[in-house]
Amino acid sequence: MKKIIMILIASASLAACDIDRMPYGSMESENIIGNPEAAIDGLLNGTYAQLKAWSDPMHRAGEYAGDNMMIRGASTDDFYEFISFSRTPENGRLGQFWDDSYIAIAQASNILKMIKEGQSEELDSKLGECYYIRGMLYFYLVRAYGRPYAQSPETNLGVPIVNGTPDNVIDGLQLPDRSTVKEVYEQVISDLKKAETMIANERNGKKRMPIVASKGAAQALLSRVYLYMSGTYESPNVQYAQLAVDYADKVISSGSYVLLGRDQFMKYNTYTPEANPETIFAVKRLASEFSGDDHFYGVGGMYANIGGQGWGEMYASGKYIDLLNETGRNDWRPDSYKIVDARAAFIEPTYSKDEKTGKYLEVFRFIKENDNQTWSYVQDTVVRSGSTVSTKNNKDTYTLTPVNVEQGVYSIKYKDGKTYSGVLDYYINLNRAYPQFYITKASREGEDSHLHSPVISRLGEVYLNRAEAYAKLNNYGAALSDLNLIRNRSIVNGGYASLDASNASERIDKERQLELAYQAERSYDVFRNGESLTRRYPGPHNQTEVIKATDYRVVYYIPQSVINSYPGTLTQNPTGN
């Protein structure tokens, strides 16, 4: 019980700070009640600051369980369980995610308990921000620890609803068991709707920036929440699909946010949230919050090494690279750089020059299937003789067959009797057996190595929310329009000619994967629509495993440390199918 009490006490000491800094100190409740206008900014800033710690395990739990990335090898870090699906309740990362979420929920709830509504429009607006933060956190919790909404939300368990520090935190504290998934979603919707109605357009007399909650942020998240409730393509819930459309309409028609053009979008990661008209809400980070080697341990530090900072142990998956190249080869070579799909701008291979010649080594790279039904990369040296292109691997020589000479795409009939397609490229440094396709989408904000303000909502996602909801309403014309708006931005003239029941799920899902990669969305998107996750690409993971949406590992265990310290019953998730 000691741990949960300490969390509740800590959240009761509402921190006063600037959003751009971590919290210091606390405020007396008498001062808060006596002068709420003077107190609320400090209290709110402390709550926003808590989101900075929360956003790290939130990202890892959401992104690592998907198929956009691979890791160079097994790791002793608890996050490896997210990748391997070897679920255990003894996971410090999950404990951090849970604790940080409930600290911020308690902070927001305590503000709402101490400061009454109706004292002024400006004060009510800031209380609305508290509702947004609380609703957002409950949503992120329930999608990680509770089963997808399409799977019996009335009976499946979500998370406990504990809105604020109880009065009896020291003596006789009893907290409720987990509410159902349906009940948690109802809490989420209630909070976000309150936020929508209460938050004003301005904050402290200035234009509202996307580093604080807004009416648009509440509406954007509601469009996603209702999308999660809208069932699968095979069995849609049209009521919730329509509500997803309605809330996406509100965001889009407001005119408050603008899709970046293609060239600007390719630099999305470099803009601060305040300077990005597409960002609706992001958790603000500052370079001054990092010191020494802290960049190694942030989210971006696992995806790349930039300027000597970062482990650079996780790379874009072969599956994601293939999706990027589906409409044309993206060429990352420095002397022939050409991006076909704008999302490829967030991938940076680590090309290596020959130490003796100082030149890049030309190779033919492809992914081959091994005898044990696994996949591995091959980078064979290229040998040219006139127009004939061959590869050499030890004593084996192969003549390549042109597929698209202009794009450097060839096929090879390999010694295993199989024919593979690959590309002429430069040699990419290997980490163990894997070419380093660095990911920079969570790095380089303000051109500062791994600085990154995690994006919670942006306009591009809202259009894709509406596209999927329209498709579930059988309005394929409207769905196609939204889908192509996003697709044509990234792929010039890459829009689809048509969309119908036979291809809508595949095409919309693919676009969400391409667009929202490395934003902690992918694994949830797969399972909420009843699909299975497959990862048939190189990496140390189980490459042949099919993880169905009904698998018990789709959701995380409640951290055992939380159960042990919880004052009351806290039911664990099932430990098998």
Side-chain angles (χ1 to χ4, degrees):
M1 180 183 288
K2 182 178 179 182
K3 182 177 180 182
I4 194 70
I5 289 176
M6 292 305 295
I7 289 174
L8 291 170
I9 291 174
S11 64
S13 299
L14 293 162
C17 70
D18 189 276
I19 289 175
D20 292 344
R21 297 190 182 353
M22 295 303 289
Y24 299 98
S26 61
M27 290 183 177
E28 297 292 338
S29 59
E30 292 82 1
N31 295 335
I32 296 169
I33 297 170
N35 192 355
E37 289 84 356
I40 194 166
D41 281 347
L43 301 177
L44 252 182
N45 290 340
T47 309
Y48 282 112
Q50 181 61 33
L51 298 181
K52 300 179 186 189
W54 162 84
S55 64
D56 183 284
M58 175 277 291
H59 176 98
R60 298 179 199 271
E63 193 61 49
Y64 293 2
D67 52 5
N68 295 325
M69 49 74 65
M70 51 87 47
I71 189 171
R72 67 167 191 169
S75 173
T76 58
D77 193 297
D78 284 344
F79 65 54
Y80 190 68
E81 291 185 0
F82 306 162
I83 301 169
S84 65
F85 278 81
S86 55
R87 301 289 186 248
T88 69
E90 302 289 350
N91 188 298
R93 297 274 186 179
L94 287 179
Q96 182 190 356
F97 181 31
W98 182 282
D99 291 347
D100 288 341
S101 297
Y102 275 103
I103 289 173
I105 285 171
Q107 288 178 322
S109 297
N110 287 341
I111 295 173
L112 293 170
K113 288 170 68 175
M114 282 189 276
I115 300 177
K116 294 182 179 180
E117 293 180 27
Q119 299 184 64
S120 71
E121 183 178 344
E122 184 172 336
L123 203 57
D124 280 356
S125 180
K126 292 172 182 176
L127 294 178
E129 294 179 38
C130 294
Y131 280 113
Y132 171 83
I133 292 171
R134 190 171 74 183
M136 178 194 73
L137 289 166
Y138 275 127
F139 174 64
Y140 275 77
L141 281 168
V142 74
R143 72 177 191 170
Y145 295 106
R147 298 204 66 81
Y149 198 86
Q151 302 175 16
S152 187
E154 298 87 358
T155 57
N156 284 328
L157 295 181
V159 294
I161 297 175
V162 183
N163 292 334
T165 306
D167 295 332
N168 58 341
V169 69
I170 301 298
D171 297 318
L173 177 63
Q174 284 288 312
L175 295 180
D177 197 358
R178 298 164 65 190
S179 297
T180 65
V181 168
K182 184 175 186 290
E183 289 168 338
V184 179
Y185 269 81
E186 288 171 348
Q187 174 72 47
V188 170
I189 291 168
S190 174
D191 281 346
L192 293 178
K193 284 186 175 181
K194 286 281 285 185
E196 179 193 15
T197 60
M198 293 177 71
I199 300 176
N201 292 328
E202 291 188 344
R203 192 176 195 267
N204 295 336
K206 297 179 181 179
K207 179 184 176 182
R208 187 171 290 272
M209 293 288 104
I211 60 173
V212 294
S214 64
K215 185 185 297 290
Q219 293 166 341
L221 196 52
L222 279 164
S223 79
R224 193 197 309 172
V225 170
Y226 281 122
L227 190 69
Y228 271 55
M229 300 171 70
S230 68
T232 65
Y233 285 94
E234 291 73 22
S235 183
N237 184 309
V238 295
Q239 175 189 357
Y240 294 135
Q242 184 59 57
L243 285 167
V245 168
D246 293 344
Y247 275 96
D249 282 344
K250 291 183 179 184
V251 177
I252 293 167
S253 64
S254 72
S256 299
Y257 312 99
V258 180
L259 286 177
L260 295 180
R262 173 183 163 88
D263 291 343
Q264 291 72 36
F265 175 71
M266 291 164 68
K267 302 175 183 177
Y268 202 108
N269 57 311
T270 69
Y271 300 132
T272 63
E274 302 94 318
N276 194 327
E278 185 169 332
T279 298
I280 298 172
F281 180 68
V283 178
K284 176 66 176 177
R285 305 300 302 267
L286 281 182
S288 59
E289 295 167 355
F290 296 90
S291 62
D293 60 359
D294 284 354
H295 278 302
F296 278 82
Y297 297 95
V299 168
M302 289 305 299
Y303 291 145
N305 180 294
I306 299 174
Q309 294 279 330
W311 298 111
E313 295 182 359
M314 294 180 178
Y315 316 122
S317 69
K319 182 176 184 177
Y320 191 69
I321 296 294
D322 284 346
L323 281 180
L324 289 173
N325 288 330
E326 191 177 67
T327 53
R329 187 254 181 102
N330 294 281
D331 194 341
W332 290 287
R333 289 175 292 184
D335 50 8
S336 55
Y337 189 78
K338 182 181 179 181
I339 296 299
V340 175
D341 189 320
R343 279 79 61 114
F346 306 123
I347 309 299
E348 296 183 9
T350 58
Y351 292 116
S352 175
K353 291 184 178 180
D354 185 271
E355 292 182 359
K356 295 181 179 179
T357 65
K359 297 181 179 179
Y360 293 109
L361 176 65
E362 188 177 27
V363 299
F364 179 65
R365 187 176 55 259
F366 63 98
I367 295 175
K368 75 177 186 72
E369 185 177 358
N370 303 315
D371 293 337
N372 58 350
Q373 290 188 309
T374 62
W375 286 260
S376 59
Y377 281 102
V378 176
Q379 292 192 116
D380 284 348
T381 304
V382 168
V383 179
R384 292 180 178 269
S385 178
S387 61
T388 300
V389 183
S390 303
T391 66
K392 189 174 182 180
N393 185 328
N394 296 323
K395 296 180 180 180
D396 297 320
T397 301
Y398 305 91
T399 298
L400 302 180
T401 301
V403 175
N404 187 321
V405 175
E406 183 181 359
Q407 295 186 14
V409 180
Y410 287 76
S411 67
I412 184 173
K413 187 171 183 180
Y414 212 55
K415 57 187 175 183
D416 59 5
K418 298 176 182 177
T419 299
Y420 302 101
S421 180
V423 295
L424 298 179
D425 204 354
Y426 294 148
Y427 180 83
I428 299 175
N429 281 331
L430 300 179
N431 196 328
R432 298 186 181 174
Y434 308 111
Q436 297 179 143
F437 285 97
Y438 280 171
I439 301 160
T440 61
K441 199 174 185 181
S443 302
R444 288 214 174 100
E445 183 177 317
E447 303 297 344
D448 188 318
S449 65
H450 296 301
L451 181 61
H452 174 59
S453 295
V455 175
I456 302 301
S457 295
R458 61 182 176 89
L459 188 58
E461 182 221 338
V462 175
Y463 274 107
L464 291 175
N465 292 349
R466 194 169 70 173
E468 181 179 329
Y470 272 139
K472 289 176 176 176
L473 292 168
N474 294 323
N475 188 345
Y476 295 111
L480 179 64
S481 178
D482 282 345
L483 184 65
N484 279 346
L485 186 67
I486 299 302
R487 189 164 176 82
N488 281 321
R489 172 174 69 173
S490 286
I491 307 168
V492 178
N493 299 321
Y496 295 112
S498 62
L499 197 73
D500 55 42
S502 69
N503 57 30
S505 62
E506 182 267 332
R507 290 179 174 179
I508 294 171
D509 178 75
K510 177 170 62 179
E511 207 60 30
R512 286 187 72 90
Q513 181 172 9
L514 284 165
E515 184 74 11
L516 304 179
Y518 318 116
Q519 290 182 214
E521 298 295 326
R522 174 60 181 165
S523 60
Y524 303 117
D525 271 349
V526 172
F527 298 131
R528 68 177 174 80
N529 268 320
E531 301 297 329
S532 297
L533 182 76
T534 59
R535 297 183 290 181
R536 297 186 177 96
Y537 52 80
H541 56 274
N542 186 337
Q543 298 177 22
T544 61
E545 186 175 31
V546 176
I547 302 167
K548 297 181 179 180
T550 54
D551 195 293
Y552 77 98
R553 296 169 299 169
V554 164
V555 295
Y556 291 110
Y557 285 122
I558 306 301
Q560 191 62 44
S561 59
V562 174
I563 292 177
N564 293 343
S565 63
Y566 197 75
T569 299
L570 189 56
T571 303
Q572 182 60 276
N573 275 322
T575 57
N577 292 324

